[in-house]
Amino acid sequence: MTQPPLPDENGQQLEPFGQQPPVPQQPGPQDQLPMAPQYGAPQYQAPQNPQYQQVQGQPVQPPAQALPAGPVLVTIGDISVEQYRIVTPAGVLPTQGTNWSAMDMTRTEEKIPAYAIVLAIIFFLFCLLGLLFLLIKERKTTGFVQVTVQHGARTHNTHVAAANPTQVADTLARVNYARTLCV
């Protein structure tokens, strides 16, 4: 006498004692996952701990946002340098181990203004002293200083406009001061 199968608490049929359950079928090719990811399929990314960031070849450091904020010691364009951190629009970087570079991309043009040419022509007709007006020169500086701050794989560039050589020297002095803070 065989017993009919009994339902369990989930409503599935249980096999009577002593009988073996049916063997599940082998998955077919339609059930297998593709070997290469399909277009638009999510790629696997290793989980990252948001508290620590590992950069190749560098020890694990706490995030720059966890560094204490302090007074701003120097500002270069849109970069603010504090004692322990550097604040940029691209994010916050620690001062320790940060590299700075500055490139002067300005040019200075020197030319004789139009009024000096007119005066030289007028006074040349009356006396030869009019040629002295051709010694008048105007200098015009245009361009910018490109400042780059880099820590590990993170980089931020800024352009500081310069209308005269004094502003170029001031920007380069600020970058040198920021370098001394980052040692």
Side-chain angles (χ1 to χ4, degrees):
M1 173 170 200
T2 60
Q3 297 178 350
L6 300 173
D8 67 347
E9 54 269 356
N10 294 332
Q12 294 181 350
Q13 300 293 327
L14 294 176
E15 296 295 323
F17 185 77
Q19 293 183 357
Q20 293 192 355
V23 178
Q25 294 182 347
Q26 295 293 333
Q30 70 278 5
D31 298 328
Q32 293 179 357
L33 294 175
M35 298 303 285
Q38 300 288 327
Y39 177 74
Q43 299 290 326
Y44 173 76
Q45 292 181 351
Q48 296 179 355
N49 187 345
Q51 292 183 349
Y52 296 101
Q53 182 179 13
Q54 174 70 36
V55 178
Q56 261 185 349
Q58 293 184 359
V60 175
Q61 297 179 3
Q65 289 83 357
L67 296 171
V72 176
L73 301 175
V74 66
T75 303
I76 306 165
D78 57 2
I79 302 171
S80 299
V81 181
E82 300 172 358
Q83 185 175 359
Y84 297 109
R85 64 186 195 152
I86 300 167
V87 181
T88 67
V92 179
L93 307 170
T95 56
Q96 194 68 24
T98 302
N99 296 322
W100 290 85
S101 65
M103 187 180 302
D104 184 3
M105 304 290 280
T106 60
R107 69 177 193 189
T108 302
E109 297 175 347
E110 188 176 278
K111 67 176 189 172
I112 300 172
Y115 71 88
I117 295 173
V118 171
L119 290 175
I121 293 171
I122 292 173
F123 282 100
F124 177 73
L125 299 175
F126 296 113
C127 61
L128 293 176
L129 293 177
L131 295 177
L132 292 176
F133 285 108
L134 295 178
L135 296 176
I136 298 174
K137 305 282 188 204
E138 279 185 351
R139 289 186 178 157
K140 184 177 179 183
T141 301
T142 57
F144 57 90
V145 177
Q146 179 180 352
V147 179
T148 303
V149 59
Q150 178 182 12
H151 184 270
R154 298 179 68 189
T155 302
H156 178 69
N157 293 325
T158 187
H159 298 130
V160 180
N164 57 43
T166 307
Q167 291 178 343
V168 173
D170 178 60
T171 302
L172 295 176
R174 289 171 182 259
V175 170
N176 285 333
Y177 178 63
R179 284 182 183 142
T180 62
L181 295 173
C182 294
V183 174

